[in-house]
Amino acid sequence: MKLKVIFSCLAVPLGAAALAACAGGTSSASQAVVTGERTASIAVANPVAVSPQPGTPDASPGTQISFLGTAATQVSNVHVVGSHSGSHAGALRAYSTGTGESFLPSHPFAAGERVSVSATVTSAGSTTQARTSFTIARQAPISQKQFPINPGDPQAVQHYSSAPSLTPSTVHITTPAKTGAAPGDLFLAPYQGEGIAGPMITEQNGGLVWFHPLPAGEAATNFEVQQYEGRPVLSWWQGRILEVGFGQGEDEIYNTSYQPVARVRAGNGYHADLHEIRLSSNGTAWIDMFDPIEMNLSSVHGSAAGVLTDSVVQEIDIKTGLVMWEWHALGHVPVSESLKPISHSSSPWDYIHVNSVDPGPAGDVLLSARSTWALYDVDIHSGAIRWRLGGPRSSFRQGPGTRFYWQHDAEFQPDGLISVFDNGSDPPKEKQSRGLLLRADTASHTVSLVKQFVNPSRTLLATSQGNTLSLPGGDWLMGYGGLPNFTEYDTAGHVLLDGTLGKNVQDFRTYLSPWSGQPRTAPAVIAKSAAGALAVAVSWNGATSVSSWRVLAGPSAGALAAVATAAKSGFQSNIAAPSPGPYVAVQALDASGAVIAVSPTVKA
């Protein structure tokens, strides 16, 4: 009888009351589903995940229909009918991964209508009928006003005469890297405060390696090293951060020469949000987005003509831009789970606020939702919630020290552990933000604290953002997001590295990783002549293999000779050369003394 209730809930559009009744009851093929009440195993015959998933109450009017299966999945005989717009013709496009296809309707759906889909799918050697039925959202217009810039410290900005366009926040190291600190560079994306926003790489002593200044009004988040097509790349989100609490932009992928190789855009008419860009080994990207919709919120003491912001997660095929999988929180998490007070202003109610996405090892994906104080393990096949950790409907009995509030950055770790950044604030529920390592036992339905990381020398309570990053050798790096701080801890919780950006500067997540960059640009040089000598300033944005600089000078651009050599010292090296010049160029030398680049010739 329970099975009939579950599938009935998935087959119809869901309002707030129906959502509260149905959430937490769906499941997937041959998977144990842990809910707050029971554990069950339900078989699903169709091996293909169809998006929008059955019962989705707020699909985009411009949605495609996604069929995600195994290798060599093929789709045919697609029939799409809107209850108001009628039959929809369209085209099938295959994923570059070979694991399915998307049907792209030739015209959009009507707001509020119910859409029914059927298709013939061949996957894993069998042919089946795939079906889904969902409702189209009534999307709500929202204010495009951006967050105001918090004033910072004008002195906490970097300036270089050889590269005047590079003016990021300073990076002040308060505890220099100790023995045992993980090797690599820091990957930051400062915004707010003083200085230009943009992705930034620094050495562990705070020295600048590379900075990518963004246009006014734009910011970057999630700047890190990932792998794409088997090679290391830089990835980040870039766009506008709205005052209503989310971002509208795109995700960038750059190679080791700092050249763009791919751009990831949200599908189905959405804009990529700032909270996640995670690349997979098969050429896909997991991203999130926020969608404000019109909704009757009277069941939770809100307006009957309310506006709610739903969280949406997509897996994007990077090469084709197709949406391979899409999940809507509102189809699975009832509004009654929200711990965020309902909005009675013109701003939409941000009832769930998904802020991290981590694909798991067993056909699942781990989501962190700030506004419910909960983590959700979601089955990729069905979209069902396998279990909840935290929040008002936790599937686990939580042991001492395991509760978290307004959290960010939940990730699967080896041996079945889960890490999470516990903000503990907004409003404050704790005295310090913490990095947590948790053990969730699905057999005993218990969660225990394995480790926690708290800065011992200062009180750091981050009202927003932040991450807890596992490093090689057992170390952990915590970025405090809404605060300008970052700290590396050893496995026992001792501080190995501690630093801060400028006053009021924010950095959504902080990363540390080995990096080798070979820019295609030339070194930048400026020279001044005084008393028969030259004062030369040289830099090369992003170069990591420069060991020293050789200054060439002469009476004309065609008559230059070596006049000085100096070791590289920081991002910009200032060199005194005993020559009147007035023409100057600089050669970049590697550790063997070989020339790896030459600057343009300038006149002092």
Side-chain angles (χ1 to χ4, degrees), residues 152-160 166-174 186 188-198 200-203 205-208 211 483-486 499-507:
D153 178 5
Q155 302 302 312
V157 178
Q158 301 183 54
H159 297 278
Y160 301 99
L166 306 184
T167 56
S169 167
T170 56
V171 181
H172 179 56
I173 303 301
T174 54
L186 292 163
L188 310 156
Y191 71 100
Q192 288 284 342
E194 299 292 332
I196 294 179
M200 177 170 68
I201 306 172
T202 76
E203 298 175 335
N205 63 7
L208 184 63
F211 180 62
L483 297 177
N485 306 83
F486 53 89
T500 180
L501 294 156
K503 178 184 177 182
N504 287 337
V505 175
Q506 301 181 32
D507 175 27

Side-chain angles (χ1 to χ4, degrees), residues 417-452:
L417 304 180
I418 294 171
S419 63
V420 64
F421 182 82
D422 175 19
N423 291 79
S425 179
D426 198 24
K429 298 289 289 184
E430 297 172 340
K431 295 181 179 180
Q432 281 263 44
S433 295
R434 304 180 298 158
L436 301 180
L437 188 61
L438 306 175
R439 185 179 302 280
D441 188 330
T442 56
S444 64
H445 295 192
T446 60
V447 59
S448 57
L449 179 65
V450 178
K451 292 181 187 296
Q452 72 169 1

Side-chain angles (χ1 to χ4, degrees), residues 89-267:
L92 281 165
R93 290 185 60 196
Y95 307 141
S96 67
T97 58
T99 54
E101 300 181 65
S102 280
F103 178 81
L104 278 61
S106 56
H107 60 281
F109 298 103
E113 74 172 331
R114 179 175 173 177
V115 178
S116 299
V117 178
S118 66
T120 302
V121 179
T122 301
S123 182
S126 63
T127 299
T128 59
Q129 284 295 113
R131 301 180 186 277
T132 186
S133 179
F134 51 87
T135 301
I136 301 301
R138 298 185 185 276
Q139 294 176 316
I142 58 166
S143 169
Q144 295 296 299
K145 184 179 179 181
Q146 294 182 239
F147 266 113
I149 300 297
N150 290 323
D153 178 5
Q155 302 302 312
V157 178
Q158 301 183 54
H159 297 278
Y160 301 99
S161 58
S162 61
S165 65
L166 306 184
T167 56
S169 167
T170 56
V171 181
H172 179 56
I173 303 301
T174 54
T175 299
K178 298 180 179 179
T179 301
D185 292 325
L186 292 163
F187 290 78
L188 310 156
Y191 71 100
Q192 288 284 342
E194 299 292 332
I196 294 179
M200 177 170 68
I201 306 172
T202 76
E203 298 175 335
Q204 289 193 30
N205 63 7
L208 184 63
V209 174
W210 181 72
F211 180 62
H212 183 63
L214 299 182
E218 293 193 7
T221 63
N222 292 315
F223 178 48
E224 64 173 314
V225 179
Q226 299 198 69
Q227 294 281 319
Y228 178 59
E229 296 185 330
R231 298 181 178 89
V233 293
L234 299 173
S235 63
W236 69 89
W237 173 87
Q238 180 174 324
R240 301 178 307 120
I241 300 177
L242 303 184
E243 195 172 37
V244 293
F246 57 88
Q248 292 184 339
E250 300 172 340
D251 296 294
E252 304 286 346
I253 302 174
Y254 277 42
N255 61 21
T256 55
S257 295
Y258 308 101
Q259 302 294 313
V261 295
R263 178 170 291 148
V264 181
R265 296 182 173 92

Side-chain angles (χ1 to χ4, degrees), residues 24-41:
T26 59
S27 67
S28 67
S30 67
Q31 296 293 337
V33 179
V34 183
T35 70
E37 299 80 24
R38 63 180 182 86
T39 300
S41 182

